[in-house]
Amino acid sequence: MSEAVLDPAGCPSGLAPPSAAETSDPSAFVRKLGRQSRLSLTVRGAKCGGCLSRIEGAVSTLPGVESARLNLSNGRLDVAWSGSLEARWIVDAVSGLGYGVAPLDTAADDDAHKKEERSLLLAMGVAGFATANIMLLSVSVWGGHGEMGEATRQGLHALSGVIALPTLIYSGRPFFQSAWNVLKKKRTNMDVPISLALILAFSVSVSETIRGGPHAYFDAACMLLFFLLIGRFLDARVRRRAWSAARDLAALGSRTVTRLGADGRPQSVRSEDIRPGDQILLAPGERAVVDMMVEGGESEVDESLVTGESLPRWTGAGMKLMAGSINLSQPLTGRATAAAADSLLAEISQMLSAGEQKRSTYRQIADKAVSLYVPIVHSTALLTFLGWWLIGDIGLRDSILIAVATLIITCPCALALAAPVVQVVAAGRLFKGGAYLKSGDALERLAACDHIIFDKTGTLTLGTPRLVSGTDVATLSEAAQLARASRHPLSRALTVAAGPGALAKDVKEYPGLGLEGEVNGVSCRLGSAEWTGAQASGHTGATLFFVRGDAPPVEFRFEDDIQEDAGQTVAALTRMGLTMEIVSGDRPEAVGEVARKLDIRCWTASASPQDKVRRLEELQGQGRKVLMIGDGLNDAGALALAHASAAPGGALDVSQSASDAVYSGGLAPLPRLMKTARLAKTVMVQNFAFAAIYNVIAVPIAILGHATPLVAAIAMSGSSLIVCVNALRINLTREKQA
Amino acid sequence: MSGLVFLIPVALLMGFAGLAAFLWSVRSGQFDDPDGAAHRILISPDEPLPERKPVRD
C-alpha cells in the first residue's frame, strides 16, 4: 500500500478504484463559441472532495483554461478554454490522475430528467411555503374555537384560500397532468384520487368560506400536496441517478477513432462516422470501438472484457478484432468490418435494452398497493356520501363535507412516502459501505434473489496475474529489466514483483512470442516456452520463461489470485441461504481451480456471452431468481437480463450501466448489499402495512363524520412521520460481524 | 384583534421572502450538485504557506 500513500491514483478516499488510462481523442467533441472552446466530459470514479480539487486543479493549470467545473453528483466536467490547447491534453490530465473519462456528446445529452427534478423541487418549495402559512392561520382558527368572531374566522379562511389557490394550480400540476393523461386513455392511477381529493377539498372549502361555515380544508389540501411532492421528488432523484448511468453508456459509444485517410494521414473522427471498409489505426493502449479485420502490424490483444479469457491473444494480419478489445503492444492497422452501430459493442447494448425491457415489466410493491388502493378509496368515499345523504338524513351539504373529509384522510401520503424514503435511506447506507444502487426498484429485486451467478475474471479473482513461483532475486531482477519494456499483463506482474529498476538495452517485443534484449551485456529472452526453447510445464496458470545467454530456461509461474475476502463472502452468502455458481469465459482449468478453492460446486467454463444468457434463462425457467455478478463486456447481456445484477467498480462502463448495483473494495460489500436489500424490503412492507392499518383506523372516524380539519392534519402528518422514522431504522440496525 | 391587520401581512411577507430565496437558489443551479457543494466548502486553494518569522523565546 506504500504507493497508495505517495500518490493515490483515482479517488483518494478509496470509494472508487482507479480506472485504467485509455486513449481516445476527444477533439471531435469540442464546441466552438467565438474564440472560446468548450468540452464536456463524463468522469468516472470521482467520489469525494479530494477528487474534485485534484481534477479541477489539474485541468485549470493547463494553458488557456478559463474555467473547469466538475459536478460531483453526475460526474460531468465542463471545461472552457481559449487558445491553442488541444482537447486531448485535458483528457490526458484527468485520466493521468487515475479517473475514467469519456467525451460527452451534449447534443445527445437530454436534460429532461434534470428539468423534471427541478420543477418538482420548485413545486415542493411552493407547497411547503403555502402549508406553513395556511397552518399559521388554521392554528389560530382551531385555537380560537368558540371565542373567535365569525367575521374574523371567515377572513382567515378567505386568506387561506387566497394562498391555496395559486399553490394548487402551480404545485398540483404534476398530479393533474398525470391524472388527465391516464383518464384520457380510460385507465386510472394513484394521481386520479389525489387530484379528485385536492379539487374537491378546495371547492368544498371555498363554498364553506363563502357560507361562513366552521371548517375549511385549505391546510389539508396544501399539506397533502407537500407530502406527496416530497415522495415524488425523492423518486425522481433515484430515477435520475439510474438515468445518468445510462448516459455513461452512451458516452462509451461516443468514442473517437483514428481513421487513416487516402493519403495515409491519421485523422480523429467520431465512432459513428466510421463506415465499413474505412482504414483504422489502433495505437497501443487503445480500445477498438468497431469490429475490424487486421491488415498490418502484429500485436497482442487483451480480449478479457469481450471473452473473459484472462491471457492476451496474439493478433496479426488477417485476424478479426472485436470491438472492446484493447491493443497492448504494437500499433495495428485494419479495416472496419462493421459500422459502430453494428459492432459487437452495439449488439451487446441491444441485448441490454432487451433485458431491461423484460425487467421493466417487474411490478414494484408500490404499484401493487396502488392498484388495490384506488378502487377501495373511491367506493368508500362514494358509499359514505350516499349513506349519509340517503340514510343519515343530514342534507346534501354535510354529506358532501363528510365524503370529502374521507377522501382527504385516506389520501396516500404515507403510501407515497413509504417506498421512496426507504430507497433513499438504504441507498445512502450502501454508499457508505462501498456500493451504490442504480435503480429504485433494485432493492426489491435484490431482496428476492436466491441464487448467484459469478463471473470469474475480475470478479472472484483480481483479474491481474501475480508471480507465485519463488525464483532467486538476481534472475528476477534480470528478467524484470526486459519485462519493463512491455505492456503485457505477465510482464507487468513480473515488474511488480521485482520492484523498480533498470531497463534492458535494445529490447524488442515479438507479439505472441516474447521479448529479447541485452541485460548486462548478455542477450536474454523472456517469453513463451517455444520462444525460449523450454519444455512446457504442468502449471495450470500462466507461465513465462527466461533465458540468459545459453543458460537453461527459468520458469516463472503466475496465478490470477482469488480476491482476499472471496472465501468469507461466499461463506456469508451461503449462511444467508443463497446458492452460488460460476459461469466464466475462461479456460476450464482456471475456472475449476477457483471453484474448488471457494467450494462452489457448480461451474461452467468457456462460456460465450450467449451461453451466459442461456444459462440464466434456464435458471429463470426453473423459477429461480438470479443475481448476476460480473464485470466484462461478455457479462453485460446476462447482467441486464438477470433478476438483479451487480458489477465491481473496476468493471467496464457498459457492465456497470447494465447492473443494478456497483460495489467497490473487494467482494465484502456483497453480503451487506443483500442484507440491506432484504432489510429495506421488510421496512417497505412494514410501511405499506402501516399505511393500511392507518386507513383501517382513520377511515371509520372519517366515515362517522369526526374528521375535522384538525384531525385530518394530525392524522396525515403523523402517519407520514411514522413512515419516515421507520425508514430511518435501516440506518440504526448494526451490522452483525460474521 | 387590530394587531392582526399588520401581523398577518408581516408573517406572509416573511414567508414570501423565504420562498423567493428558495426559488432563486433552485433557478441559479445551487441544487444541481448537492454532493459537490458539500465537499467544495472543504477545499482550500493549494498555495505555498506564507513565510514565517522565526519565533524566539
PDB file of all heavy atoms in Angstrom, chain A residues 352-383:
ATOM      1  N   LEU A 352     -28.725  -5.510 -23.901  1.00  0.00           N
ATOM      2  CA  LEU A 352     -29.024  -4.785 -22.668  1.00  0.00           C
ATOM      3  C   LEU A 352     -30.424  -4.234 -22.679  1.00  0.00           C
ATOM      4  O   LEU A 352     -31.199  -4.425 -21.760  1.00  0.00           O
ATOM      5  CB  LEU A 352     -28.063  -3.607 -22.487  1.00  0.00           C
ATOM      6  CG  LEU A 352     -26.615  -3.905 -22.260  1.00  0.00           C
ATOM      7  CD1 LEU A 352     -25.914  -2.646 -21.825  1.00  0.00           C
ATOM      8  CD2 LEU A 352     -26.480  -4.948 -21.191  1.00  0.00           C
ATOM      9  N   SER A 353     -30.759  -3.533 -23.785  1.00  0.00           N
ATOM     10  CA  SER A 353     -32.066  -2.878 -23.765  1.00  0.00           C
ATOM     11  C   SER A 353     -33.178  -3.917 -23.814  1.00  0.00           C
ATOM     12  O   SER A 353     -34.243  -3.723 -23.229  1.00  0.00           O
ATOM     13  CB  SER A 353     -32.190  -1.870 -24.905  1.00  0.00           C
ATOM     14  OG  SER A 353     -31.843  -2.464 -26.107  1.00  0.00           O
ATOM     15  N   ALA A 354     -32.916  -5.060 -24.491  1.00  0.00           N
ATOM     16  CA  ALA A 354     -33.916  -6.128 -24.494  1.00  0.00           C
ATOM     17  C   ALA A 354     -34.122  -6.635 -23.075  1.00  0.00           C
ATOM     18  O   ALA A 354     -35.252  -6.830 -22.630  1.00  0.00           O
ATOM     19  CB  ALA A 354     -33.468  -7.262 -25.400  1.00  0.00           C
ATOM     20  N   GLY A 355     -33.012  -6.817 -22.348  1.00  0.00           N
ATOM     21  CA  GLY A 355     -33.106  -7.294 -20.978  1.00  0.00           C
ATOM     22  C   GLY A 355     -33.804  -6.292 -20.085  1.00  0.00           C
ATOM     23  O   GLY A 355     -34.633  -6.655 -19.257  1.00  0.00           O
ATOM     24  N   GLU A 356     -33.510  -5.022 -20.315  1.00  0.00           N
ATOM     25  CA  GLU A 356     -34.113  -4.002 -19.472  1.00  0.00           C
ATOM     26  C   GLU A 356     -35.610  -3.891 -19.703  1.00  0.00           C
ATOM     27  O   GLU A 356     -36.362  -3.596 -18.790  1.00  0.00           O
ATOM     28  CB  GLU A 356     -33.422  -2.653 -19.700  1.00  0.00           C
ATOM     29  CG  GLU A 356     -32.421  -2.362 -18.601  1.00  0.00           C
ATOM     30  CD  GLU A 356     -31.292  -1.466 -19.042  1.00  0.00           C
ATOM     31  OE1 GLU A 356     -31.516  -0.630 -19.925  1.00  0.00           O
ATOM     32  OE2 GLU A 356     -30.183  -1.615 -18.494  1.00  0.00           O
ATOM     33  N   GLN A 357     -36.010  -4.137 -20.953  1.00  0.00           N
ATOM     34  CA  GLN A 357     -37.448  -4.103 -21.223  1.00  0.00           C
ATOM     35  C   GLN A 357     -38.151  -5.227 -20.473  1.00  0.00           C
ATOM     36  O   GLN A 357     -39.201  -5.032 -19.883  1.00  0.00           O
ATOM     37  CB  GLN A 357     -37.708  -4.238 -22.714  1.00  0.00           C
ATOM     38  CG  GLN A 357     -37.710  -2.889 -23.400  1.00  0.00           C
ATOM     39  CD  GLN A 357     -37.688  -3.023 -24.896  1.00  0.00           C
ATOM     40  OE1 GLN A 357     -38.010  -4.075 -25.432  1.00  0.00           O
ATOM     41  NE2 GLN A 357     -37.317  -1.963 -25.555  1.00  0.00           N
ATOM     42  N   LYS A 358     -37.517  -6.397 -20.504  1.00  0.00           N
ATOM     43  CA  LYS A 358     -38.098  -7.529 -19.785  1.00  0.00           C
ATOM     44  C   LYS A 358     -38.234  -7.189 -18.320  1.00  0.00           C
ATOM     45  O   LYS A 358     -39.192  -7.516 -17.665  1.00  0.00           O
ATOM     46  CB  LYS A 358     -37.198  -8.753 -19.929  1.00  0.00           C
ATOM     47  CG  LYS A 358     -37.592  -9.648 -21.064  1.00  0.00           C
ATOM     48  CD  LYS A 358     -36.816 -10.939 -20.974  1.00  0.00           C
ATOM     49  CE  LYS A 358     -36.874 -11.652 -22.305  1.00  0.00           C
ATOM     50  NZ  LYS A 358     -35.969 -12.785 -22.349  1.00  0.00           N
ATOM     51  N   ARG A 359     -37.185  -6.516 -17.823  1.00  0.00           N
ATOM     52  CA  ARG A 359     -37.135  -6.245 -16.408  1.00  0.00           C
ATOM     53  C   ARG A 359     -38.150  -5.178 -15.999  1.00  0.00           C
ATOM     54  O   ARG A 359     -38.664  -5.209 -14.906  1.00  0.00           O
ATOM     55  CB  ARG A 359     -35.737  -5.781 -16.056  1.00  0.00           C
ATOM     56  CG  ARG A 359     -35.457  -5.794 -14.621  1.00  0.00           C
ATOM     57  CD  ARG A 359     -34.159  -5.130 -14.391  1.00  0.00           C
ATOM     58  NE  ARG A 359     -33.056  -6.071 -14.414  1.00  0.00           N
ATOM     59  CZ  ARG A 359     -31.798  -5.667 -14.350  1.00  0.00           C
ATOM     60  NH1 ARG A 359     -31.513  -4.395 -14.310  1.00  0.00           N
ATOM     61  NH2 ARG A 359     -30.835  -6.534 -14.344  1.00  0.00           N
ATOM     62  N   SER A 360     -38.425  -4.243 -16.945  1.00  0.00           N
ATOM     63  CA  SER A 360     -39.327  -3.154 -16.569  1.00  0.00           C
ATOM     64  C   SER A 360     -40.753  -3.665 -16.374  1.00  0.00           C
ATOM     65  O   SER A 360     -41.608  -2.948 -15.882  1.00  0.00           O
ATOM     66  CB  SER A 360     -39.297  -2.051 -17.624  1.00  0.00           C
ATOM     67  OG  SER A 360     -39.828  -2.562 -18.820  1.00  0.00           O
ATOM     68  N   THR A 361     -41.007  -4.920 -16.795  1.00  0.00           N
ATOM     69  CA  THR A 361     -42.332  -5.465 -16.537  1.00  0.00           C
ATOM     70  C   THR A 361     -42.476  -5.857 -15.068  1.00  0.00           C
ATOM     71  O   THR A 361     -43.553  -6.205 -14.618  1.00  0.00           O
ATOM     72  CB  THR A 361     -42.585  -6.718 -17.397  1.00  0.00           C
ATOM     73  OG1 THR A 361     -41.519  -7.633 -17.167  1.00  0.00           O
ATOM     74  CG2 THR A 361     -42.638  -6.370 -18.865  1.00  0.00           C
ATOM     75  N   TYR A 362     -41.353  -5.783 -14.335  1.00  0.00           N
ATOM     76  CA  TYR A 362     -41.418  -6.084 -12.909  1.00  0.00           C
ATOM     77  C   TYR A 362     -42.299  -5.065 -12.212  1.00  0.00           C
ATOM     78  O   TYR A 362     -42.165  -3.870 -12.426  1.00  0.00           O
ATOM     79  CB  TYR A 362     -40.011  -6.043 -12.314  1.00  0.00           C
ATOM     80  CG  TYR A 362     -39.986  -6.225 -10.832  1.00  0.00           C
ATOM     81  CD1 TYR A 362     -40.101  -7.482 -10.280  1.00  0.00           C
ATOM     82  CD2 TYR A 362     -39.886  -5.126  -9.988  1.00  0.00           C
ATOM     83  CE1 TYR A 362     -40.110  -7.647  -8.919  1.00  0.00           C
ATOM     84  CE2 TYR A 362     -39.893  -5.288  -8.629  1.00  0.00           C
ATOM     85  CZ  TYR A 362     -39.996  -6.554  -8.102  1.00  0.00           C
ATOM     86  OH  TYR A 362     -40.021  -6.717  -6.747  1.00  0.00           O
ATOM     87  N   ARG A 363     -43.215  -5.554 -11.383  1.00  0.00           N
ATOM     88  CA  ARG A 363     -44.105  -4.616 -10.698  1.00  0.00           C
ATOM     89  C   ARG A 363     -43.625  -4.401  -9.278  1.00  0.00           C
ATOM     90  O   ARG A 363     -43.466  -5.343  -8.512  1.00  0.00           O
ATOM     91  CB  ARG A 363     -45.532  -5.142 -10.699  1.00  0.00           C
ATOM     92  CG  ARG A 363     -46.151  -5.073 -12.075  1.00  0.00           C
ATOM     93  CD  ARG A 363     -47.561  -5.582 -12.064  1.00  0.00           C
ATOM     94  NE  ARG A 363     -48.481  -4.600 -11.503  1.00  0.00           N
ATOM     95  CZ  ARG A 363     -49.494  -4.938 -10.714  1.00  0.00           C
ATOM     96  NH1 ARG A 363     -49.672  -6.177 -10.370  1.00  0.00           N
ATOM     97  NH2 ARG A 363     -50.321  -3.998 -10.275  1.00  0.00           N
ATOM     98  N   GLN A 364     -43.387  -3.145  -8.964  1.00  0.00           N
ATOM     99  CA  GLN A 364     -42.943  -2.833  -7.614  1.00  0.00           C
ATOM    100  C   GLN A 364     -44.091  -3.017  -6.637  1.00  0.00           C
ATOM    101  O   GLN A 364     -45.253  -2.964  -7.008  1.00  0.00           O
ATOM    102  CB  GLN A 364     -42.461  -1.387  -7.545  1.00  0.00           C
ATOM    103  CG  GLN A 364     -41.267  -1.123  -8.412  1.00  0.00           C
ATOM    104  CD  GLN A 364     -40.708   0.254  -8.142  1.00  0.00           C
ATOM    105  OE1 GLN A 364     -40.757   0.746  -7.033  1.00  0.00           O
ATOM    106  NE2 GLN A 364     -40.171   0.866  -9.157  1.00  0.00           N
ATOM    107  N   ILE A 365     -43.698  -3.223  -5.365  1.00  0.00           N
ATOM    108  CA  ILE A 365     -44.702  -3.381  -4.316  1.00  0.00           C
ATOM    109  C   ILE A 365     -45.637  -2.185  -4.324  1.00  0.00           C
ATOM    110  O   ILE A 365     -46.850  -2.315  -4.178  1.00  0.00           O
ATOM    111  CB  ILE A 365     -44.025  -3.479  -2.930  1.00  0.00           C
ATOM    112  CG1 ILE A 365     -43.041  -4.639  -2.913  1.00  0.00           C
ATOM    113  CG2 ILE A 365     -45.057  -3.671  -1.852  1.00  0.00           C
ATOM    114  CD1 ILE A 365     -42.270  -4.738  -1.614  1.00  0.00           C
ATOM    115  N   ALA A 366     -45.046  -0.991  -4.541  1.00  0.00           N
ATOM    116  CA  ALA A 366     -45.846   0.237  -4.508  1.00  0.00           C
ATOM    117  C   ALA A 366     -46.945   0.188  -5.559  1.00  0.00           C
ATOM    118  O   ALA A 366     -48.095   0.547  -5.287  1.00  0.00           O
ATOM    119  CB  ALA A 366     -44.946   1.443  -4.740  1.00  0.00           C
ATOM    120  N   ASP A 367     -46.602  -0.300  -6.767  1.00  0.00           N
ATOM    121  CA  ASP A 367     -47.606  -0.360  -7.829  1.00  0.00           C
ATOM    122  C   ASP A 367     -48.746  -1.291  -7.457  1.00  0.00           C
ATOM    123  O   ASP A 367     -49.912  -1.014  -7.723  1.00  0.00           O
ATOM    124  CB  ASP A 367     -46.965  -0.845  -9.136  1.00  0.00           C
ATOM    125  CG  ASP A 367     -45.859   0.084  -9.584  1.00  0.00           C
ATOM    126  OD1 ASP A 367     -45.881   1.258  -9.155  1.00  0.00           O
ATOM    127  OD2 ASP A 367     -44.985  -0.360 -10.342  1.00  0.00           O
ATOM    128  N   LYS A 368     -48.367  -2.411  -6.827  1.00  0.00           N
ATOM    129  CA  LYS A 368     -49.398  -3.369  -6.422  1.00  0.00           C
ATOM    130  C   LYS A 368     -50.320  -2.737  -5.389  1.00  0.00           C
ATOM    131  O   LYS A 368     -51.539  -2.904  -5.446  1.00  0.00           O
ATOM    132  CB  LYS A 368     -48.750  -4.628  -5.832  1.00  0.00           C
ATOM    133  CG  LYS A 368     -48.012  -5.450  -6.865  1.00  0.00           C
ATOM    134  CD  LYS A 368     -47.398  -6.674  -6.207  1.00  0.00           C
ATOM    135  CE  LYS A 368     -46.403  -7.324  -7.147  1.00  0.00           C
ATOM    136  NZ  LYS A 368     -45.460  -8.189  -6.444  1.00  0.00           N
ATOM    137  N   ALA A 369     -49.710  -2.002  -4.448  1.00  0.00           N
ATOM    138  CA  ALA A 369     -50.504  -1.367  -3.403  1.00  0.00           C
ATOM    139  C   ALA A 369     -51.481  -0.376  -4.013  1.00  0.00           C
ATOM    140  O   ALA A 369     -52.651  -0.318  -3.624  1.00  0.00           O
ATOM    141  CB  ALA A 369     -49.592  -0.672  -2.401  1.00  0.00           C
ATOM    142  N   VAL A 370     -51.008   0.369  -5.014  1.00  0.00           N
ATOM    143  CA  VAL A 370     -51.849   1.402  -5.616  1.00  0.00           C
ATOM    144  C   VAL A 370     -53.025   0.792  -6.348  1.00  0.00           C
ATOM    145  O   VAL A 370     -54.153   1.275  -6.257  1.00  0.00           O
ATOM    146  CB  VAL A 370     -50.999   2.265  -6.578  1.00  0.00           C
ATOM    147  CG1 VAL A 370     -51.897   3.153  -7.420  1.00  0.00           C
ATOM    148  CG2 VAL A 370     -50.029   3.104  -5.781  1.00  0.00           C
ATOM    149  N   SER A 371     -52.788  -0.306  -7.061  1.00  0.00           N
ATOM    150  CA  SER A 371     -53.868  -0.887  -7.839  1.00  0.00           C
ATOM    151  C   SER A 371     -54.995  -1.374  -6.925  1.00  0.00           C
ATOM    152  O   SER A 371     -56.154  -1.409  -7.315  1.00  0.00           O
ATOM    153  CB  SER A 371     -53.347  -2.030  -8.704  1.00  0.00           C
ATOM    154  OG  SER A 371     -52.842  -3.041  -7.874  1.00  0.00           O
ATOM    155  N   LEU A 372     -54.641  -1.746  -5.688  1.00  0.00           N
ATOM    156  CA  LEU A 372     -55.671  -2.129  -4.724  1.00  0.00           C
ATOM    157  C   LEU A 372     -56.356  -0.901  -4.148  1.00  0.00           C
ATOM    158  O   LEU A 372     -57.545  -0.877  -3.893  1.00  0.00           O
ATOM    159  CB  LEU A 372     -55.029  -2.883  -3.555  1.00  0.00           C
ATOM    160  CG  LEU A 372     -54.832  -4.384  -3.706  1.00  0.00           C
ATOM    161  CD1 LEU A 372     -54.098  -4.924  -2.493  1.00  0.00           C
ATOM    162  CD2 LEU A 372     -56.187  -5.057  -3.853  1.00  0.00           C
ATOM    163  N   TYR A 373     -55.533   0.119  -3.966  1.00  0.00           N
ATOM    164  CA  TYR A 373     -55.941   1.279  -3.185  1.00  0.00           C
ATOM    165  C   TYR A 373     -57.026   2.103  -3.857  1.00  0.00           C
ATOM    166  O   TYR A 373     -58.020   2.484  -3.239  1.00  0.00           O
ATOM    167  CB  TYR A 373     -54.691   2.113  -2.932  1.00  0.00           C
ATOM    168  CG  TYR A 373     -54.936   3.444  -2.322  1.00  0.00           C
ATOM    169  CD1 TYR A 373     -55.014   3.565  -0.943  1.00  0.00           C
ATOM    170  CD2 TYR A 373     -55.088   4.564  -3.106  1.00  0.00           C
ATOM    171  CE1 TYR A 373     -55.250   4.785  -0.374  1.00  0.00           C
ATOM    172  CE2 TYR A 373     -55.322   5.782  -2.545  1.00  0.00           C
ATOM    173  CZ  TYR A 373     -55.397   5.898  -1.185  1.00  0.00           C
ATOM    174  OH  TYR A 373     -55.627   7.104  -0.632  1.00  0.00           O
ATOM    175  N   VAL A 374     -56.803   2.382  -5.172  1.00  0.00           N
ATOM    176  CA  VAL A 374     -57.672   3.333  -5.865  1.00  0.00           C
ATOM    177  C   VAL A 374     -59.156   2.952  -5.813  1.00  0.00           C
ATOM    178  O   VAL A 374     -59.981   3.745  -5.360  1.00  0.00           O
ATOM    179  CB  VAL A 374     -57.178   3.544  -7.319  1.00  0.00           C
ATOM    180  CG1 VAL A 374     -58.151   4.398  -8.095  1.00  0.00           C
ATOM    181  CG2 VAL A 374     -55.802   4.174  -7.303  1.00  0.00           C
ATOM    182  N   PRO A 375     -59.518   1.732  -6.240  1.00  0.00           N
ATOM    183  CA  PRO A 375     -60.953   1.411  -6.218  1.00  0.00           C
ATOM    184  C   PRO A 375     -61.533   1.425  -4.809  1.00  0.00           C
ATOM    185  O   PRO A 375     -62.667   1.880  -4.612  1.00  0.00           O
ATOM    186  CB  PRO A 375     -61.025   0.011  -6.830  1.00  0.00           C
ATOM    187  CG  PRO A 375     -59.644  -0.494  -6.873  1.00  0.00           C
ATOM    188  CD  PRO A 375     -58.713   0.651  -6.816  1.00  0.00           C
ATOM    189  N   ILE A 376     -60.757   0.966  -3.822  1.00  0.00           N
ATOM    190  CA  ILE A 376     -61.284   0.898  -2.458  1.00  0.00           C
ATOM    191  C   ILE A 376     -61.623   2.294  -1.948  1.00  0.00           C
ATOM    192  O   ILE A 376     -62.719   2.535  -1.419  1.00  0.00           O
ATOM    193  CB  ILE A 376     -60.270   0.217  -1.508  1.00  0.00           C
ATOM    194  CG1 ILE A 376     -60.153  -1.268  -1.873  1.00  0.00           C
ATOM    195  CG2 ILE A 376     -60.681   0.374  -0.060  1.00  0.00           C
ATOM    196  CD1 ILE A 376     -59.160  -2.028  -1.035  1.00  0.00           C
ATOM    197  N   VAL A 377     -60.688   3.234  -2.156  1.00  0.00           N
ATOM    198  CA  VAL A 377     -60.901   4.585  -1.637  1.00  0.00           C
ATOM    199  C   VAL A 377     -62.105   5.245  -2.312  1.00  0.00           C
ATOM    200  O   VAL A 377     -62.962   5.845  -1.650  1.00  0.00           O
ATOM    201  CB  VAL A 377     -59.634   5.437  -1.852  1.00  0.00           C
ATOM    202  CG1 VAL A 377     -59.950   6.905  -1.678  1.00  0.00           C
ATOM    203  CG2 VAL A 377     -58.574   5.013  -0.868  1.00  0.00           C
ATOM    204  N   HIS A 378     -62.184   5.089  -3.628  1.00  0.00           N
ATOM    205  CA  HIS A 378     -63.280   5.747  -4.338  1.00  0.00           C
ATOM    206  C   HIS A 378     -64.636   5.195  -3.923  1.00  0.00           C
ATOM    207  O   HIS A 378     -65.579   5.942  -3.680  1.00  0.00           O
ATOM    208  CB  HIS A 378     -63.077   5.603  -5.843  1.00  0.00           C
ATOM    209  CG  HIS A 378     -62.131   6.637  -6.363  1.00  0.00           C
ATOM    210  ND1 HIS A 378     -61.767   6.718  -7.674  1.00  0.00           N
ATOM    211  CD2 HIS A 378     -61.497   7.631  -5.743  1.00  0.00           C
ATOM    212  CE1 HIS A 378     -60.934   7.723  -7.828  1.00  0.00           C
ATOM    213  NE2 HIS A 378     -60.751   8.282  -6.654  1.00  0.00           N
ATOM    214  N   SER A 379     -64.710   3.874  -3.815  1.00  0.00           N
ATOM    215  CA  SER A 379     -66.017   3.331  -3.450  1.00  0.00           C
ATOM    216  C   SER A 379     -66.362   3.681  -2.009  1.00  0.00           C
ATOM    217  O   SER A 379     -67.524   3.942  -1.699  1.00  0.00           O
ATOM    218  CB  SER A 379     -66.062   1.825  -3.692  1.00  0.00           C
ATOM    219  OG  SER A 379     -64.867   1.239  -3.291  1.00  0.00           O
ATOM    220  N   THR A 380     -65.333   3.726  -1.118  1.00  0.00           N
ATOM    221  CA  THR A 380     -65.613   4.097   0.275  1.00  0.00           C
ATOM    222  C   THR A 380     -66.176   5.511   0.354  1.00  0.00           C
ATOM    223  O   THR A 380     -67.196   5.750   1.027  1.00  0.00           O
ATOM    224  CB  THR A 380     -64.330   4.044   1.123  1.00  0.00           C
ATOM    225  OG1 THR A 380     -63.662   2.831   0.851  1.00  0.00           O
ATOM    226  CG2 THR A 380     -64.632   4.166   2.591  1.00  0.00           C
ATOM    227  N   ALA A 381     -65.528   6.445  -0.350  1.00  0.00           N
ATOM    228  CA  ALA A 381     -65.979   7.835  -0.298  1.00  0.00           C
ATOM    229  C   ALA A 381     -67.391   7.968  -0.865  1.00  0.00           C
ATOM    230  O   ALA A 381     -68.243   8.663  -0.291  1.00  0.00           O
ATOM    231  CB  ALA A 381     -65.012   8.723  -1.070  1.00  0.00           C
ATOM    232  N   LEU A 382     -67.650   7.264  -1.965  1.00  0.00           N
ATOM    233  CA  LEU A 382     -68.964   7.344  -2.593  1.00  0.00           C
ATOM    234  C   LEU A 382     -70.038   6.773  -1.670  1.00  0.00           C
ATOM    235  O   LEU A 382     -71.108   7.363  -1.467  1.00  0.00           O
ATOM    236  CB  LEU A 382     -68.938   6.578  -3.922  1.00  0.00           C
ATOM    237  CG  LEU A 382     -70.182   6.730  -4.780  1.00  0.00           C
ATOM    238  CD1 LEU A 382     -70.289   8.155  -5.299  1.00  0.00           C
ATOM    239  CD2 LEU A 382     -70.167   5.744  -5.944  1.00  0.00           C
ATOM    240  N   LEU A 383     -69.732   5.602  -1.051  1.00  0.00           N
ATOM    241  CA  LEU A 383     -70.697   4.965  -0.148  1.00  0.00           C
ATOM    242  C   LEU A 383     -70.958   5.859   1.064  1.00  0.00           C
ATOM    243  O   LEU A 383     -72.088   5.946   1.543  1.00  0.00           O
ATOM    244  CB  LEU A 383     -70.175   3.602   0.311  1.00  0.00           C
ATOM    245  CG  LEU A 383     -70.279   2.484  -0.734  1.00  0.00           C
ATOM    246  CD1 LEU A 383     -69.665   1.198  -0.209  1.00  0.00           C
ATOM    247  CD2 LEU A 383     -71.734   2.261  -1.136  1.00  0.00           C
TER     248      LEU A 383
END
